[in-house]
Amino acid sequence: MTSTLGKKLRESRKQASLTLKEVADKAGFSTGFISQVERGISVPSLSSLRAIAGVLGQPISVFLEQPSSADATRASDRVSYRVGDGALAYERISAKFEGSTLRSVVVHEPPGHRNEPVSHEGEELFFVLDGELTVEVEGVPTVLTRGDSTHFDSRKVHSTWNHTSQTASLLWCGTMDVFGEDAIEPVHKNEKRKGG
């Protein structure tokens, strides 16, 4: 539940002796967005939760239980999961092994959903499996349709928006540890990023 996630984040922030503003500044979001997440009003995306957890000095796995790694997955066996009771649904498709740096999930983004702008270390690749999606990188929007892709430096402020009336599905591949299996990564602070 979103309220449980918010409560865990708030307790972790207080244990770290951080204010809402300090977490917001370090993660690169607005204070209002962090407050809404803690109160269960807003649900962060997987990458945004990862950024907040990093500021709190915790792996994402403290706040979110995700499917375990498997070398191969069949579509019928994959588990769909969400951050809290958020709108985005995820299916893990990458495995974890010694030396691996690539993570990947299938993301199902509902009509009208807009992700908060974010930036962090690493790189990302989006490949649209079904539907249409607007991807904005450094303020430049690009509409991607089925079969289209984009690959970019994750340090650039980026977000997605499903501007249609149909669910959009995309393959997300990146180097950010969205599963909380590695050591905590540094957070890339970006003053231009805003959330909420």
Coordinates of all heavy atoms in Angstrom, one line a residue, residues 53-151:
A53 N 15.6 6.4 -2.0 CA 16.2 5.4 -1.1 C 17.7 5.7 -1.0 O 18.3 5.5 0.0 CB 16.0 4.0 -1.7
G54 N 18.4 6.1 -2.2 CA 19.8 6.3 -2.2 C 20.1 7.5 -1.2 O 21.1 7.4 -0.5
V55 N 19.3 8.5 -1.2 CA 19.5 9.7 -0.3 C 19.4 9.2 1.1 O 20.1 9.7 2.0 CB 18.5 10.8 -0.6 CG1 18.6 11.9 0.5 CG2 18.8 11.4 -2.0
L56 N 18.5 8.3 1.4 CA 18.3 7.8 2.7 C 19.3 6.8 3.2 O 19.3 6.3 4.3 CB 16.9 7.2 2.9 CG 15.7 8.2 2.6 CD1 14.4 7.5 2.6 CD2 15.7 9.3 3.6
G57 N 20.2 6.4 2.2 CA 21.3 5.5 2.5 C 20.8 4.0 2.6 O 21.3 3.2 3.3
Q58 N 19.7 3.7 1.9 CA 19.1 2.4 1.9 C 19.0 1.8 0.5 O 18.7 2.6 -0.4 CB 17.7 2.5 2.5 CG 17.6 3.0 3.9 CD 18.1 2.1 5.0 OE1 18.3 0.9 4.7 NE2 18.4 2.6 6.2
P59 N 19.1 0.5 0.4 CA 18.8 -0.1 -0.9 C 17.3 0.0 -1.1 O 16.5 0.0 -0.2 CB 19.3 -1.5 -0.8 CG 19.2 -1.8 0.7 CD 19.5 -0.5 1.4
I60 N 16.9 0.0 -2.4 CA 15.4 0.1 -2.7 C 14.7 -1.1 -2.1 O 13.5 -1.0 -1.8 CB 15.2 0.2 -4.2 CG1 13.8 0.6 -4.6 CG2 15.7 -1.1 -4.9 CD1 13.6 0.9 -6.1
S61 N 15.4 -2.3 -1.9 CA 14.7 -3.5 -1.4 C 14.1 -3.3 0.0 O 13.3 -4.1 0.4 CB 15.7 -4.6 -1.5 OG 16.9 -4.3 -0.8
V62 N 14.6 -2.3 0.7 CA 14.1 -2.0 2.0 C 12.6 -1.5 1.9 O 11.8 -1.8 2.8 CB 14.9 -0.9 2.8 CG1 14.2 -0.4 4.0 CG2 16.3 -1.5 3.1
F63 N 12.3 -0.8 0.8 CA 11.0 -0.2 0.6 C 10.1 -1.0 -0.3 O 8.9 -0.7 -0.4 CB 11.1 1.2 0.2 CG 12.0 2.0 1.1 CD1 13.3 2.3 0.7 CD2 11.6 2.4 2.3 CE1 14.2 3.1 1.5 CE2 12.5 3.2 3.1 CZ 13.7 3.5 2.7
L64 N 10.7 -1.9 -1.1 CA 9.9 -2.5 -2.2 C 10.4 -3.9 -2.4 O 11.5 -4.2 -2.7 CB 10.0 -1.7 -3.5 CG 9.4 -2.3 -4.7 CD1 7.8 -2.3 -4.6 CD2 9.7 -1.5 -6.0
E65 N 9.5 -4.9 -2.2 CA 9.8 -6.3 -2.5 C 9.5 -6.5 -4.0 O 8.4 -6.2 -4.5 CB 8.9 -7.2 -1.7 CG 9.3 -8.7 -1.9 CD 8.5 -9.6 -1.0 OE1 8.0 -9.2 0.1 OE2 8.3 -10.8 -1.4
Q66 N 10.5 -7.1 -4.7 CA 10.4 -7.3 -6.2 C 10.7 -8.8 -6.5 O 11.3 -9.5 -5.7 CB 11.4 -6.4 -6.9 CG 11.2 -4.9 -6.7 CD 12.2 -4.1 -7.4 OE1 12.0 -3.8 -8.6 NE2 13.2 -3.6 -6.7
P67 N 10.3 -9.2 -7.6 CA 10.6 -10.6 -8.0 C 12.1 -10.9 -8.1 O 12.9 -10.0 -8.4 CB 10.0 -10.7 -9.4 CG 9.0 -9.6 -9.5 CD 9.5 -8.5 -8.6
S68 N 12.4 -12.1 -7.7 CA 13.8 -12.5 -7.7 C 14.3 -12.7 -9.2 O 13.6 -12.8 -10.1 CB 14.1 -13.7 -6.9 OG 13.3 -14.8 -7.4
S69 N 15.6 -12.7 -9.3 CA 16.3 -12.9 -10.5 C 16.2 -14.3 -11.1 O 16.1 -15.3 -10.3 CB 17.8 -12.5 -10.3 OG 18.6 -13.1 -11.2
A70 N 16.1 -14.4 -12.4 CA 16.0 -15.7 -13.1 C 16.8 -15.6 -14.4 O 16.7 -14.6 -15.1 CB 14.6 -16.2 -13.3
D71 N 17.5 -16.6 -14.8 CA 18.3 -16.6 -16.0 C 17.4 -16.5 -17.2 O 17.8 -15.8 -18.2 CB 19.2 -17.9 -16.1 CG 20.3 -17.9 -15.1 OD1 20.6 -16.8 -14.5 OD2 20.9 -19.0 -14.9
A72 N 16.3 -17.1 -17.2 CA 15.3 -17.0 -18.3 C 13.9 -17.0 -17.7 O 13.6 -17.6 -16.7 CB 15.5 -18.2 -19.2
T73 N 13.0 -16.2 -18.4 CA 11.7 -16.1 -17.9 C 10.7 -16.3 -19.0 O 10.9 -15.9 -20.2 CB 11.3 -14.7 -17.3 OG1 11.5 -13.7 -18.3 CG2 12.2 -14.4 -16.1
R74 N 9.7 -17.1 -18.8 CA 8.6 -17.2 -19.7 C 7.5 -16.2 -19.4 O 7.2 -15.9 -18.3 CB 8.0 -18.6 -19.7 CG 9.0 -19.7 -20.0 CD 8.4 -21.0 -20.4 NE 9.4 -22.0 -20.7 CZ 10.0 -22.1 -21.9 NH1 9.7 -21.3 -22.9 NH2 10.9 -23.1 -22.1
A75 N 6.9 -15.7 -20.5 CA 5.9 -14.6 -20.3 C 4.8 -15.0 -19.3 O 4.4 -14.2 -18.5 CB 5.3 -14.2 -21.6
S76 N 4.4 -16.3 -19.4 CA 3.3 -16.8 -18.5 C 3.8 -16.9 -17.0 O 2.9 -16.9 -16.1 CB 2.9 -18.1 -19.0 OG 3.9 -19.1 -19.0
D77 N 5.1 -16.9 -16.8 CA 5.6 -17.1 -15.4 C 6.0 -15.7 -14.7 O 6.2 -15.7 -13.5 CB 6.8 -18.0 -15.4 CG 6.5 -19.4 -15.8 OD1 5.3 -19.8 -15.7 OD2 7.4 -20.1 -16.3
R78 N 6.1 -14.7 -15.5 CA 6.6 -13.4 -15.0 C 5.5 -12.8 -14.0 O 4.3 -12.8 -14.3 CB 6.9 -12.4 -16.1 CG 8.3 -12.6 -16.7 CD 8.8 -11.4 -17.4 NE 7.9 -11.0 -18.5 CZ 8.1 -11.4 -19.7 NH1 9.0 -12.3 -20.0 NH2 7.2 -10.9 -20.6
V79 N 6.0 -12.2 -12.9 CA 5.1 -11.6 -11.9 C 5.0 -10.1 -12.2 O 6.0 -9.5 -12.3 CB 5.6 -11.9 -10.5 CG1 4.8 -11.2 -9.5 CG2 5.7 -13.4 -10.3
S80 N 3.8 -9.6 -12.3 CA 3.6 -8.1 -12.4 C 3.6 -7.5 -11.0 O 2.9 -8.1 -10.1 CB 2.3 -7.9 -13.2 OG 2.1 -6.5 -13.3
Y81 N 4.3 -6.4 -10.8 CA 4.3 -5.8 -9.5 C 4.2 -4.3 -9.6 O 4.4 -3.7 -10.7 CB 5.5 -6.2 -8.7 CG 6.8 -5.7 -9.2 CD1 7.4 -4.6 -8.7 CD2 7.5 -6.4 -10.2 CE1 8.7 -4.2 -9.1 CE2 8.7 -6.0 -10.7 CZ 9.3 -4.9 -10.2 OH 10.5 -4.4 -10.6
R82 N 3.9 -3.6 -8.6 CA 3.8 -2.1 -8.6 C 4.5 -1.5 -7.4 O 4.8 -2.2 -6.4 CB 2.3 -1.7 -8.5 CG 1.5 -2.2 -9.6 CD 0.0 -1.9 -9.4 NE -0.8 -2.5 -10.4 CZ -1.1 -2.0 -11.6 NH1 -0.7 -0.8 -11.9 NH2 -1.9 -2.7 -12.4
V83 N 4.9 -0.3 -7.4 CA 5.4 0.5 -6.3 C 4.1 1.0 -5.5 O 3.4 1.8 -6.1 CB 6.3 1.7 -6.7 CG1 6.7 2.5 -5.5 CG2 7.5 1.2 -7.5
G84 N 3.9 0.5 -4.3 CA 2.7 0.9 -3.6 C 1.5 0.5 -4.4 O 1.5 -0.6 -5.0
D85 N 0.5 1.3 -4.4 CA -0.6 1.1 -5.3 C -0.6 2.0 -6.5 O -1.6 2.5 -7.0 CB -2.0 1.2 -4.5 CG -2.2 2.5 -3.9 OD1 -1.3 3.4 -4.0 OD2 -3.2 2.7 -3.2
G86 N 0.6 2.2 -7.0 CA 0.9 3.1 -8.1 C 0.3 2.6 -9.4 O -0.1 1.4 -9.6
A87 N 0.2 3.5 -10.4 CA -0.4 3.2 -11.7 C 0.5 2.3 -12.6 O 0.0 1.6 -13.4 CB -0.7 4.5 -12.4
L88 N 1.8 2.5 -12.5 CA 2.7 1.7 -13.3 C 2.9 0.3 -12.9 O 3.0 0.0 -11.7 CB 4.1 2.4 -13.3 CG 4.2 3.8 -13.9 CD1 5.6 4.3 -13.7 CD2 3.9 3.8 -15.3
A89 N 2.8 -0.6 -13.8 CA 3.1 -2.0 -13.5 C 4.4 -2.4 -14.2 O 4.7 -2.0 -15.2 CB 1.9 -2.9 -14.0
Y90 N 5.1 -3.3 -13.5 CA 6.5 -3.7 -13.9 C 6.5 -5.3 -14.0 O 5.9 -6.0 -13.2 CB 7.5 -3.3 -12.9 CG 7.6 -1.8 -12.7 CD1 6.9 -1.2 -11.7 CD2 8.4 -0.9 -13.5 CE1 6.9 0.2 -11.5 CE2 8.4 0.4 -13.3 CZ 7.7 1.0 -12.3 OH 7.7 2.3 -12.1
E91 N 7.4 -5.8 -14.9 CA 7.7 -7.2 -15.0 C 9.2 -7.3 -15.1 O 9.8 -6.8 -16.1 CB 7.0 -7.8 -16.2 CG 5.5 -7.8 -16.2 CD 5.0 -8.4 -17.5 OE1 5.6 -9.4 -18.0 OE2 4.0 -7.9 -18.0
R92 N 9.8 -7.9 -14.2 CA 11.3 -8.1 -14.2 C 11.7 -9.1 -15.3 O 11.1 -10.2 -15.3 CB 11.8 -8.5 -12.9 CG 13.4 -8.7 -12.9 CD 13.9 -9.0 -11.6 NE 15.4 -9.1 -11.7 CZ 16.2 -9.1 -10.6 NH1 15.7 -8.9 -9.4 NH2 17.5 -9.2 -10.8
I93 N 12.6 -8.7 -16.2 CA 13.1 -9.7 -17.2 C 14.6 -9.9 -17.1 O 15.1 -10.8 -17.8 CB 12.7 -9.3 -18.6 CG1 13.2 -8.0 -19.0 CG2 11.2 -9.4 -18.7 CD1 13.0 -7.7 -20.5
S94 N 15.4 -9.2 -16.3 CA 16.8 -9.4 -16.3 C 17.2 -10.2 -15.1 O 16.5 -10.3 -14.1 CB 17.5 -8.0 -16.2 OG 17.2 -7.3 -15.1
A95 N 18.4 -10.9 -15.2 CA 18.9 -11.7 -14.2 C 20.1 -11.0 -13.5 O 20.6 -10.0 -14.0 CB 19.4 -13.0 -14.8
K96 N 20.5 -11.5 -12.4 CA 21.6 -11.0 -11.6 C 22.7 -12.1 -11.6 O 22.4 -13.2 -11.2 CB 21.2 -10.6 -10.2 CG 22.4 -10.2 -9.3 CD 23.1 -9.0 -9.7 CE 24.2 -8.6 -8.8 NZ 25.0 -7.6 -9.3
F97 N 23.9 -11.7 -12.0 CA 25.0 -12.7 -11.9 C 26.3 -11.8 -11.8 O 26.3 -10.6 -11.9 CB 25.1 -13.6 -13.2 CG 25.1 -12.8 -14.5 CD1 26.2 -12.3 -15.0 CD2 23.9 -12.6 -15.1 CE1 26.2 -11.5 -16.2 CE2 23.8 -11.9 -16.3 CZ 25.0 -11.4 -16.9
E98 N 27.4 -12.5 -11.4 CA 28.6 -11.8 -11.1 C 29.1 -10.9 -12.3 O 29.2 -11.5 -13.4 CB 29.7 -12.7 -10.7 CG 31.0 -12.1 -10.3 CD 32.1 -13.0 -9.8 OE1 31.7 -14.2 -9.5 OE2 33.3 -12.6 -9.8
G99 N 29.3 -9.7 -12.1 CA 29.7 -8.8 -13.2 C 28.6 -8.1 -14.0 O 28.9 -7.3 -14.8
S100 N 27.4 -8.5 -13.8 CA 26.3 -8.0 -14.6 C 26.0 -6.5 -14.2 O 26.1 -6.1 -13.0 CB 25.0 -8.8 -14.4 OG 24.5 -8.7 -13.1
T101 N 25.7 -5.7 -15.1 CA 25.4 -4.3 -14.9 C 24.1 -3.8 -15.5 O 23.6 -2.7 -15.2 CB 26.5 -3.3 -15.4 OG1 26.7 -3.6 -16.8 CG2 27.9 -3.6 -14.7
L102 N 23.6 -4.6 -16.4 CA 22.3 -4.3 -17.1 C 21.1 -4.8 -16.3 O 21.1 -5.9 -15.9 CB 22.4 -4.9 -18.5 CG 21.2 -4.6 -19.4 CD1 21.2 -3.1 -19.8 CD2 21.3 -5.4 -20.7
R103 N 20.1 -3.9 -16.2 CA 18.8 -4.3 -15.6 C 17.7 -4.0 -16.6 O 17.9 -3.1 -17.4 CB 18.6 -3.4 -14.3 CG 19.3 -3.9 -13.1 CD 20.7 -3.5 -13.1 NE 21.3 -3.9 -11.8 CZ 22.5 -3.4 -11.4 NH1 23.0 -2.4 -12.1 NH2 23.0 -3.8 -10.3
S104 N 16.7 -4.8 -16.5 CA 15.6 -4.5 -17.5 C 14.3 -5.0 -16.9 O 14.2 -6.0 -16.2 CB 15.9 -5.2 -18.8 OG 16.1 -6.6 -18.7
V105 N 13.3 -4.2 -17.3 CA 11.9 -4.5 -16.9 C 11.0 -4.1 -18.1 O 11.3 -3.3 -18.9 CB 11.4 -3.7 -15.6 CG1 12.1 -4.2 -14.4 CG2 11.5 -2.2 -15.8
V106 N 9.8 -4.8 -18.1 CA 8.8 -4.3 -19.0 C 7.9 -3.4 -18.2 O 7.5 -3.8 -17.0 CB 8.0 -5.5 -19.6 CG1 6.7 -5.0 -20.4 CG2 8.8 -6.4 -20.4
V107 N 7.6 -2.2 -18.6 CA 6.8 -1.2 -17.9 C 5.5 -1.1 -18.7 O 5.5 -0.9 -19.9 CB 7.5 0.1 -17.8 CG1 6.7 1.1 -17.0 CG2 8.9 0.0 -17.3
H108 N 4.4 -1.1 -17.9 CA 3.1 -0.9 -18.5 C 2.6 0.5 -17.9 O 2.3 0.6 -16.7 CB 2.1 -2.0 -18.1 CG 2.6 -3.3 -18.6 ND1 2.6 -3.7 -19.9 CD2 3.1 -4.4 -17.9 CE1 3.1 -5.0 -20.0 NE2 3.4 -5.4 -18.8
E109 N 2.5 1.5 -18.8 CA 2.1 2.8 -18.3 C 0.7 3.1 -18.8 O 0.4 3.1 -20.0 CB 3.1 3.8 -18.9 CG 2.9 5.2 -18.3 CD 4.2 6.1 -18.6 OE1 5.3 5.6 -18.7 OE2 4.0 7.3 -18.7
P110 N -0.2 3.4 -17.8 CA -1.7 3.6 -18.2 C -1.9 4.9 -18.9 O -1.1 5.8 -18.8 CB -2.3 3.5 -16.8 CG -1.3 4.0 -15.9 CD 0.0 3.5 -16.4
P111 N -3.1 5.1 -19.5 CA -3.4 6.3 -20.2 C -3.3 7.5 -19.3 O -3.7 7.5 -18.1 CB -4.9 6.1 -20.6 CG -5.0 4.6 -20.7 CD -4.1 4.1 -19.6
G112 N -2.7 8.6 -19.8 CA -2.6 9.8 -19.0 C -1.5 9.9 -18.0 O -1.3 11.0 -17.4
H113 N -0.9 8.8 -17.7 CA 0.1 8.8 -16.6 C 1.4 9.6 -17.1 O 1.8 9.5 -18.2 CB 0.6 7.4 -16.3 CG 1.5 7.3 -15.1 ND1 2.9 7.4 -15.3 CD2 1.3 7.3 -13.8 CE1 3.4 7.4 -14.1 NE2 2.5 7.3 -13.2
R114 N 1.9 10.4 -16.1 CA 3.1 11.2 -16.4 C 4.0 10.9 -15.2 O 3.7 11.1 -14.1 CB 2.7 12.7 -16.4 CG 3.7 13.6 -17.0 CD 3.3 15.0 -16.9 NE 2.3 15.4 -17.9 CZ 2.7 16.0 -19.1 NH1 3.9 16.2 -19.4 NH2 1.7 16.3 -19.9
N115 N 5.3 10.5 -15.6 CA 6.3 10.3 -14.6 C 7.0 11.6 -14.2 O 7.1 12.5 -15.1 CB 7.4 9.4 -15.1 CG 7.1 7.9 -15.0 OD1 6.4 7.5 -14.0 ND2 7.4 7.1 -16.0
E116 N 7.4 11.7 -13.0 CA 8.1 12.9 -12.5 C 9.4 13.0 -13.2 O 10.1 11.9 -13.4 CB 8.2 12.9 -11.0 CG 9.0 11.8 -10.4 CD 8.2 10.5 -10.2 OE1 7.0 10.4 -10.6 OE2 8.8 9.5 -9.8
P117 N 9.9 14.1 -13.6 CA 11.3 14.3 -14.2 C 12.3 13.8 -13.2 O 12.2 14.1 -12.0 CB 11.4 15.7 -14.5 CG 10.0 16.3 -14.6 CD 9.2 15.4 -13.6
V118 N 13.3 13.1 -13.7 CA 14.4 12.5 -12.9 C 15.7 12.5 -13.6 O 15.7 12.5 -14.8 CB 14.0 11.1 -12.4 CG1 13.9 10.1 -13.6 CG2 14.9 10.6 -11.3
S119 N 16.8 12.5 -12.9 CA 18.1 12.2 -13.5 C 18.9 11.5 -12.5 O 18.7 11.6 -11.3 CB 18.8 13.6 -13.9 OG 19.2 14.3 -12.8
H120 N 19.9 10.7 -13.0 CA 20.7 9.9 -12.1 C 21.9 9.3 -12.9 O 21.9 9.5 -14.1 CB 19.9 8.7 -11.5 CG 19.1 8.0 -12.5 ND1 19.6 7.0 -13.4 CD2 17.8 8.1 -12.9 CE1 18.7 6.5 -14.2 NE2 17.6 7.2 -14.0
E121 N 22.8 8.7 -12.3 CA 23.9 8.1 -13.0 C 23.5 7.0 -13.9 O 22.5 6.3 -13.6 CB 25.0 7.6 -12.0 CG 25.6 8.7 -11.2 CD 26.4 9.7 -12.0 OE1 27.1 9.3 -13.0 OE2 26.4 10.9 -11.6
G122 N 24.2 6.8 -15.0 CA 24.0 5.6 -15.8 C 23.4 6.0 -17.2 O 23.5 7.1 -17.7
E123 N 22.9 5.0 -17.9 CA 22.3 5.1 -19.2 C 21.0 4.3 -19.2 O 20.8 3.3 -18.5 CB 23.2 4.8 -20.3 CG 23.7 3.3 -20.2 CD 24.7 3.1 -21.3 OE1 24.4 3.1 -22.5 OE2 25.9 2.8 -21.0
E124 N 20.1 4.7 -20.2 CA 18.8 4.0 -20.3 C 18.5 3.8 -21.8 O 18.8 4.6 -22.6 CB 17.7 4.7 -19.6 CG 17.9 4.8 -18.1 CD 16.8 5.6 -17.5 OE1 15.6 5.3 -17.6 OE2 17.1 6.6 -16.8
L125 N 17.7 2.7 -22.0 CA 17.2 2.5 -23.4 C 15.7 2.1 -23.2 O 15.4 1.3 -22.4 CB 17.9 1.4 -24.1 CG 17.5 1.1 -25.5 CD1 18.7 0.7 -26.3 CD2 16.4 0.0 -25.6
F126 N 14.8 2.8 -23.9 CA 13.4 2.5 -24.0 C 13.1 2.0 -25.3 O 13.5 2.5 -26.4 CB 12.5 3.8 -23.8 CG 12.7 4.5 -22.5 CD1 12.2 5.8 -22.3 CD2 13.3 3.9 -21.4 CE1 12.3 6.5 -21.1 CE2 13.5 4.6 -20.2 CZ 12.9 5.9 -20.0
F127 N 12.3 0.9 -25.4 CA 11.9 0.3 -26.6 C 10.4 0.1 -26.5 O 9.9 -0.7 -25.6 CB 12.6 -1.1 -26.9 CG 12.1 -1.7 -28.2 CD1 12.8 -1.4 -29.4 CD2 11.1 -2.6 -28.2 CE1 12.3 -2.0 -30.6 CE2 10.7 -3.2 -29.4 CZ 11.3 -2.9 -30.6
V128 N 9.6 0.7 -27.3 CA 8.1 0.7 -27.2 C 7.6 -0.7 -27.7 O 7.8 -0.9 -28.9 CB 7.4 1.9 -27.8 CG1 5.9 1.7 -27.7 CG2 7.9 3.2 -27.2
L129 N 7.0 -1.4 -26.9 CA 6.4 -2.7 -27.3 C 5.0 -2.6 -27.8 O 4.6 -3.3 -28.7 CB 6.4 -3.7 -26.1 CG 7.8 -4.0 -25.5 CD1 7.6 -4.7 -24.2 CD2 8.6 -4.8 -26.5
D130 N 4.2 -1.7 -27.3 CA 2.9 -1.5 -27.7 C 2.4 -0.1 -27.2 O 2.8 0.4 -26.2 CB 2.0 -2.5 -27.0 CG 0.6 -2.7 -27.7 OD1 0.5 -2.3 -28.9 OD2 -0.3 -3.2 -27.1
G131 N 1.6 0.6 -28.1 CA 1.1 1.9 -27.8 C 2.0 3.0 -28.2 O 2.9 2.8 -29.0
E132 N 1.8 4.2 -27.6 CA 2.6 5.4 -27.8 C 3.0 6.0 -26.5 O 2.3 5.9 -25.5 CB 1.8 6.4 -28.7 CG 1.5 6.0 -30.1 CD 0.8 7.1 -30.8 OE1 0.9 8.3 -30.4 OE2 0.3 6.8 -31.9
L133 N 4.1 6.7 -26.5 CA 4.6 7.3 -25.3 C 5.4 8.6 -25.7 O 6.1 8.5 -26.7 CB 5.5 6.3 -24.6 CG 5.8 6.5 -23.1 CD1 4.5 6.3 -22.3 CD2 6.8 5.4 -22.7
T134 N 5.2 9.6 -24.9 CA 6.0 10.8 -25.1 C 7.2 10.7 -24.1 O 7.0 10.5 -22.9 CB 5.3 12.1 -24.8 OG1 4.2 12.2 -25.8 CG2 6.2 13.3 -24.9
V135 N 8.4 10.7 -24.6 CA 9.6 10.7 -23.8 C 10.3 12.1 -23.9 O 10.5 12.6 -25.0 CB 10.6 9.6 -24.3 CG1 11.9 9.6 -23.4 CG2 10.0 8.2 -24.2
E136 N 10.5 12.7 -22.8 CA 11.1 14.0 -22.7 C 12.5 13.9 -22.1 O 12.7 13.4 -21.0 CB 10.3 15.0 -22.0 CG 10.7 16.4 -22.1 CD 9.7 17.4 -21.5 OE1 8.5 17.4 -21.9 OE2 10.1 18.2 -20.6
V137 N 13.5 14.4 -22.8 CA 14.9 14.4 -22.3 C 15.4 15.8 -22.5 O 15.5 16.3 -23.6 CB 15.8 13.4 -23.1 CG1 17.2 13.4 -22.6 CG2 15.2 11.9 -23.1
E138 N 15.8 16.4 -21.3 CA 16.3 17.7 -21.3 C 15.3 18.7 -22.0 O 15.7 19.6 -22.7 CB 17.7 17.8 -21.9 CG 18.8 17.2 -21.1 CD 19.1 17.9 -19.8 OE1 19.5 19.0 -19.8 OE2 19.0 17.2 -18.8
G139 N 14.1 18.5 -21.7 CA 13.0 19.4 -22.2 C 12.6 19.2 -23.6 O 11.7 19.9 -24.1
V140 N 13.2 18.2 -24.3 CA 12.8 17.9 -25.7 C 11.9 16.7 -25.8 O 12.4 15.6 -25.5 CB 14.1 17.7 -26.6 CG1 13.7 17.4 -28.0 CG2 15.0 18.9 -26.5
P141 N 10.6 16.9 -26.1 CA 9.7 15.8 -26.2 C 9.8 15.0 -27.5 O 10.0 15.6 -28.6 CB 8.3 16.4 -26.0 CG 8.5 17.8 -26.6 CD 9.9 18.2 -26.3
T142 N 9.7 13.7 -27.5 CA 9.7 12.9 -28.7 C 8.6 11.8 -28.5 O 8.6 11.2 -27.4 CB 11.1 12.1 -28.8 OG1 12.1 13.1 -28.9 CG2 11.1 11.3 -30.1
V143 N 7.8 11.7 -29.5 CA 6.7 10.7 -29.4 C 7.2 9.4 -30.0 O 7.7 9.4 -31.2 CB 5.4 11.2 -30.2 CG1 4.4 10.1 -30.2 CG2 4.9 12.4 -29.6
L144 N 7.2 8.3 -29.2 CA 7.6 7.0 -29.7 C 6.4 6.1 -29.9 O 5.5 6.1 -29.0 CB 8.6 6.4 -28.7 CG 9.9 7.1 -28.3 CD1 10.7 6.4 -27.3 CD2 10.7 7.4 -29.6
T145 N 6.4 5.4 -31.0 CA 5.3 4.5 -31.2 C 5.9 3.1 -31.2 O 7.1 2.9 -31.2 CB 4.6 4.8 -32.6 OG1 5.5 4.7 -33.6 CG2 4.0 6.2 -32.5
R146 N 5.0 2.1 -31.4 CA 5.4 0.7 -31.4 C 6.6 0.4 -32.3 O 6.6 0.8 -33.5 CB 4.3 -0.2 -31.8 CG 4.6 -1.7 -31.7 CD 3.4 -2.5 -32.0 NE 3.7 -3.9 -31.9 CZ 2.8 -4.9 -32.1 NH1 1.6 -4.6 -32.4 NH2 3.2 -6.1 -32.0
G147 N 7.7 -0.2 -31.7 CA 8.9 -0.4 -32.5 C 10.0 0.6 -32.4 O 11.1 0.4 -32.8
D148 N 9.6 1.8 -31.9 CA 10.5 2.9 -31.8 C 11.4 2.8 -30.5 O 10.9 2.1 -29.5 CB 9.8 4.3 -31.7 CG 9.2 4.7 -33.0 OD1 9.5 4.1 -34.1 OD2 8.3 5.6 -33.0
S149 N 12.5 3.4 -30.4 CA 13.4 3.3 -29.2 C 14.1 4.6 -29.0 O 14.2 5.5 -30.0 CB 14.4 2.2 -29.4 OG 15.3 2.4 -30.4
T150 N 14.6 4.8 -27.8 CA 15.5 5.9 -27.5 C 16.5 5.4 -26.5 O 16.2 4.6 -25.6 CB 14.8 7.2 -27.0 OG1 15.7 8.2 -26.8 CG2 14.0 6.9 -25.7
H151 N 17.8 5.9 -26.6 CA 18.9 5.5 -25.7 C 19.6 6.8 -25.3 O 19.9 7.6 -26.2 CB 19.8 4.6 -26.5 CG 21.0 4.1 -25.7 ND1 22.1 3.5 -26.3 CD2 21.2 4.0 -24.4 CE1 22.9 3.1 -25.4 NE2 22.4 3.4 -24.2

